[in-house]
């Protein structure tokens, strides 16, 4: 009985949630209603959508389905989610492979239903000078040091919202949803 009482008083730790604003080219991590991190990203230079072969970034709700690359060095190159042994420095000329870490995303709604089979990831890029502007082929690109932080903070199952609204509005929507459910939200 005492054990059950003690366990019922242990504070619950909610899984983090990631919000990506396409207009602002920013990703934020929310942990227990608190802004825990914010990073510049690059979404698709081909626009938004989830059609096969469109190279567009899907809008809607996704989750982290798989994580690849734990412990790999910054700039480690991946091909078909396997390390090649090559390491590239930031802004290496003439190259644009996936580097450092991969968070493979699975769509959870109609707007993201094909994301997993399309190979939509959050991943590192050696083209760090393009971060902050649409430059990808559908994925969410990040600086290597930033994608390591997101990788470490986001377990498999972490929910991700990719939205076509400014981050300020997306955070206000997040706060109102959490206030309606009785959870506290605070900016860090």
């Amino acid at each position: 009985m005492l054990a059950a009482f003690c366990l019922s008083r242990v504070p619950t730790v909610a899984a983090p949630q990631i919000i990506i604003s396409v207009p602002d080219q920013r990703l934020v991590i929310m942990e227990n209603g608190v802004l825990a991190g914010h990073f510049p990203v690059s979404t698709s230079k081909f626009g938004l959508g989830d059609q096969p072969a469109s190279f567009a970034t899907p809008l809607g709700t996704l989750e982290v389905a798989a994580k690849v690359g734990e412990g790999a060095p910054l700039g480690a190159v991946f091909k078909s989610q396997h390390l090649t042994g090559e390491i590239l420095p930031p802004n290496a000329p003439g190259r644009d492979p996936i580097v450092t870490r991969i968070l493979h995303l699975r769509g959870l709604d109609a707007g993201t239903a094909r994301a997993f089979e399309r190979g939509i990831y959050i991943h590192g890029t050696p083209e760090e000078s393009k971060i902050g502007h649409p430059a990808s082929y559908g994925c969410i690109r990040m600086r290597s040091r930033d994608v390591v932080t997101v990788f470490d903070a986001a377990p498999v199952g972490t929910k991700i919202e990719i939205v076509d609204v400014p981050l300020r509005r997306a955070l206000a929507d997040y706060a109102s949803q959490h206030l309606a459910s009785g959870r506290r939200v605070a900016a860090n």
Side-chain angles (χ1 to χ4, degrees), residues 10 18 32 46 73 75 101:
V10 173
I18 293 173
N32 295 312
F46 298 99
R101 301 285 187 280

Side-chain angles (χ1 to χ4, degrees), residues 96-139:
D96 186 21
I98 293 169
V99 301
T100 307
R101 301 285 187 280
I102 299 169
L103 291 97
H104 195 160
L105 307 181
R106 174 182 295 113
L108 298 177
D109 60 27
T112 61
R114 296 179 187 95
F116 189 83
E117 61 263 17
R118 288 182 57 218
I120 300 299
Y121 309 149
I122 297 172
H123 66 80
T125 180
E127 291 191 324
E128 292 189 0
S129 64
K130 294 183 178 180
I131 296 294
H133 305 282
S136 83
Y137 291 86
C139 292

